[in-house]
Amino acid sequence: MMRFERLPLLLAGLGLLGLSAAASRAEELPAPIQAAEARGAEIVGTFEAPGGLKGYAARYDGQGMALYLTPDGQHVLIGNLLDARGQDLTGPRLEELVYAPLGKEMWARMERSGWIADGSAAAPRIVYLFSDPNCPYCTRFWQQARPWVEAGRVQLRHIMVGILRADSAGKAAALLAAERPEQALHEHESAGKASTLEALAEIPPRIGERLEDNLELMNALGAMATPAIFYLDARDRLQQQQGAPDAAALAQIMGPR
């Protein structure tokens, strides 16, 4: 599951949390929880907590957040719950109720996005990356990935965006609009700084919409720069790598050769 920065530890307690499969919408939400919703929290599930607390799992600005309703039903505490040994009791609940479903949702959105394939469609491993045609680190990752791609082990799927320079969108559009996008991308990346890719002076509306959708998806995933690389780990949880990876991270992303 991709990792977001957790909220500060605000609450400590004893015991273990018991997960409830019932969604919070199966009941009338208490006023403090409704107030959290009004501030932008999206309640996605509930769970039982020790000390008479009731837990609510929420999404907030793309992150997981735990809300704990006090026994009097009049107050809510926000943060992670620890037991007497310092173990985090909140993380596993957010993982199950927020991050795992969110990862699956985002993976499906990437599958439907405007990407260009690099490698065999029969490759056992898929890796997505948000790529700008003017991004030297995207080119570096393209070069790093060659052994896996050329061996048929990995297919890279370049989700094109145009954010780095004034002509980035035009160049991304040129790749997407090419008669053979896969070949155009290969020629551009293999040439590196010597690439002769020319930006489109006018971006066709259909291509422009695709670029806008790709950028919206990139923002939804919390990616701030290119390349933003996304892959599934051994547990099929979505993971993110920001920037060209080092050797250890590359092995995690690409898997065995």
Side-chain angles (χ1 to χ4, degrees), residues 48-256:
E48 295 303 318
L53 300 171
K54 182 168 185 177
Y56 291 79
R59 295 183 189 179
Y60 182 79
D61 196 23
Q63 301 185 20
M65 181 171 69
L67 311 174
Y68 291 96
L69 186 70
T70 55
D72 63 7
Q74 299 302 307
H75 304 87
V76 62
L77 297 163
I78 301 175
N80 284 26
L81 185 68
L82 305 181
D83 66 12
R85 294 175 295 176
Q87 292 182 321
D88 179 9
L89 305 180
T90 300
R93 306 311 171 209
L94 293 183
E95 183 75 18
E96 183 164 356
L97 290 170
V98 179
Y99 291 115
L102 181 60
K104 292 178 181 178
E105 175 187 323
M106 290 302 178
W107 188 262
R109 287 185 63 180
M110 286 189 287
E111 287 182 325
R112 299 192 300 268
S113 67
W115 46 267
I116 299 175
D118 176 19
S120 171
R125 191 172 184 87
I126 301 296
V127 175
Y128 288 95
L129 69 146
F130 289 87
S131 180
D132 185 299
N134 287 318
C135 171
Y137 297 104
C138 297
T139 299
R140 180 180 174 185
F141 178 59
W142 182 89
Q143 294 168 340
Q144 290 175 308
R146 288 309 90 198
W148 287 268
V149 173
E150 292 173 1
R153 298 294 303 167
V154 173
Q155 183 187 62
L156 297 183
R157 295 180 176 180
H158 295 250
I159 304 175
M160 303 307 304
V161 294
I163 58 175
L164 292 182
R165 299 181 187 170
D167 65 350
S168 287
K171 286 184 176 181
L175 292 172
L176 291 170
E179 183 175 350
R180 297 181 63 185
E182 294 85 355
Q183 180 178 334
L185 178 66
H186 188 278
E187 292 174 353
H188 170 66
E189 296 291 9
S190 60
K193 292 182 179 179
S195 173
T196 59
L197 178 65
E198 294 186 3
L200 293 184
E202 293 188 11
I203 300 176
R206 177 179 60 84
I207 299 298
E209 290 176 4
R210 181 177 296 183
L211 289 174
E212 289 178 4
D213 289 344
N214 287 353
L215 183 56
E216 180 184 343
L217 177 57
M218 181 178 173
N219 292 334
L221 282 158
M224 304 301 292
T226 55
I229 303 163
F230 293 87
Y231 64 100
L232 298 177
D233 65 14
R235 298 188 302 158
D236 283 335
R237 297 294 174 88
L238 187 63
Q239 301 289 343
Q240 176 183 167
Q241 163 69 33
Q242 191 74 52
D246 59 20
L250 182 64
Q252 291 291 326
I253 294 167
M254 307 302 283

